[in-house]
């Protein structure tokens, strides 16, 4: 198995850019995906693979990877982006899935 | 449109069993792997198990191996999670999620979840 590490909380001023990171050795072998979860709602996929956005996700969301770190960047954060964000990936075996602990994003 | 609807949750005593169902519609169900992901109250997401499109391959997180069994009936567009020997730490909202094609752990659709509470 493998652990994915995220900062518990991040804040950003309205309209500014924020980067949320996810670290883990398995990220050297597998791409990650990112999920936004608002209170009382199911998670929503915002970025997957090599910076792919599902239909309906604003283009202010983007993803990048470097070594053992994956990043989700929100360029021009909006009030509605305030949420918990989770990364996930395959573990070293490739057969299990691991999630990061989540990052609570506050938009000031 | 794609829809996943979980059911079967409830309050159960430790050591007892529950069977969760995930009914799918709006896509070719038999072509996609399905995962169960849970979330304990106030906590993060935790992957539980997954099943391949044809039901041949199944994987589980270590903490449920030997207690939970995932299965699917492609004729009914439904995935099941049989949970035996339930423990208080299994208390969570259980989501089913549809995996995008390929080996990535990318879930493009989620259900709204069904709550399992294990308590005496």
């Amino acid at each position: 198995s493998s652990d994915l590490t995220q900062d518990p909380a991040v804040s950003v001023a309205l309209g500014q850019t924020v980067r949320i990171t996810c670290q883990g050795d398995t990220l050297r072998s597998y791409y990650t995906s990112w999920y936004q979860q608002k209170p009382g709602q199911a998670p929503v996929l915002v970025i997957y693979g090599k910076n792919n956005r599902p239909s309906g996700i604003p283009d202010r969301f983007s993803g990048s990877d470097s070594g053992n770190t994956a990043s989700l960047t929100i360029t021009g954060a909006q009030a509605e982006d305030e949420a918990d964000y989770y990364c996930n990936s395959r573990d070293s075996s490739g057969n299990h899935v691991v999630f990061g602990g989540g990052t609570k994003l506050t938009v000031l | 449109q794609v829809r996943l609807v979980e059911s079967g949750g409830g309050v159960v005593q430790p050591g007892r069993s529950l069977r969760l169902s995930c009914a799918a519609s709006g896509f070719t169900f038999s072509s996609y792997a399905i995962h169960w992901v849970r979330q304990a109250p106030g906590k993060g997401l935790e992957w539980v198990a997954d099943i391949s499109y044809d039901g041949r391959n199944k994987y589980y997180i270590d903490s449920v191996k030997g207690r939970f069994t995932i299965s699917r009936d492609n004729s009914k567009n439904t995935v099941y999670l049989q949970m035996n020997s339930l423990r208080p730490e299994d208390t969570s909202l259980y989501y089913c999620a549809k995996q995008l094609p390929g080996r990535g752990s990318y879930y493009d659709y989620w259900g709204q979840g069904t709550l399992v509470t294990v308590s005496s």
Side-chain angles (χ1 to χ4, degrees):
Chain A
S1 63
S2 175
D3 292 326
L4 296 179
T5 301
Q6 297 183 241
D7 291 329
V10 171
S11 62
V12 61
L14 184 68
Q16 297 302 301
T17 297
V18 62
R19 177 178 293 179
I20 299 170
T21 61
C22 174
Q23 287 188 302
D25 287 341
T26 189
L27 299 183
R28 299 183 187 278
S29 304
Y30 296 98
Y31 283 117
T32 190
S33 50
W34 289 93
Y35 302 87
Q36 176 193 71
Q37 187 180 35
K38 297 180 179 180
Q41 297 183 18
V44 173
L45 179 66
V46 294
I47 291 289
Y48 66 97
K50 194 174 175 63
N51 193 23
N52 299 297
R53 268 181 297 107
S55 173
I57 301 301
D59 61 5
R60 63 179 179 270
F61 290 88
S62 63
S64 62
D65 301 275
S66 179
N68 72 336
T69 301
S71 301
L72 172 70
T73 300
I74 307 174
T75 303
Q78 302 300 302
E80 60 264 33
D81 300 333
E82 188 163 286
D84 294 327
Y85 290 85
Y86 295 91
C87 62
N88 84 342
S89 185
R90 293 280 176 181
D91 75 348
S92 56
S93 75
N95 293 326
H96 292 190
V97 176
V98 288
F99 280 91
T103 297
K104 183 176 183 61
L105 176 66
T106 300
V107 179
L108 304 172
Chain B
Q1 72 279 24
V2 173
R3 196 160 179 238
L4 298 170
V5 179
E6 302 93 338
S7 62
V11 180
V12 62
Q13 293 179 328
R16 303 299 290 264
S17 299
L18 273 179
R19 189 178 82 156
L20 306 184
S21 299
C22 169
S25 59
F27 64 101
T28 306
F29 179 76
S30 58
S31 296
Y32 293 91
I34 300 293
H35 295 237
W36 286 98
V37 176
R38 66 185 179 184
Q39 187 169 34
K43 302 297 184 182
L45 300 173
E46 180 179 57
W47 173 80
V48 176
D50 75 84
I51 187 166
S52 60
Y53 69 98
D54 58 1
R56 291 186 179 182
N57 296 305
K58 307 172 186 180
Y59 299 101
Y60 303 89
I61 192 173
D62 286 350
S63 59
V64 309
K65 207 172 294 184
R67 300 189 298 123
F68 290 13
T69 302
I70 191 170
S71 62
R72 67 189 295 158
D73 185 340
N74 284 347
S75 69
K76 296 182 178 179
N77 285 5
T78 301
V79 169
Y80 305 98
L81 187 67
Q82 177 68 43
M83 304 187 297
N84 298 332
S85 303
L86 281 161
R87 304 168 179 169
E89 55 265 35
D90 295 318
T91 294
S92 286
L93 184 64
Y94 284 74
Y95 295 102
C96 62
K98 169 183 167 288
Q99 181 190 312
L100 279 168
R103 286 294 295 142
S105 53
Y106 316 143
Y107 309 137
D108 57 345
Y109 289 95
W110 298 63
Q112 286 303 304
T114 186
L115 183 62
V116 173
T117 303
V118 184
S119 173
S120 53

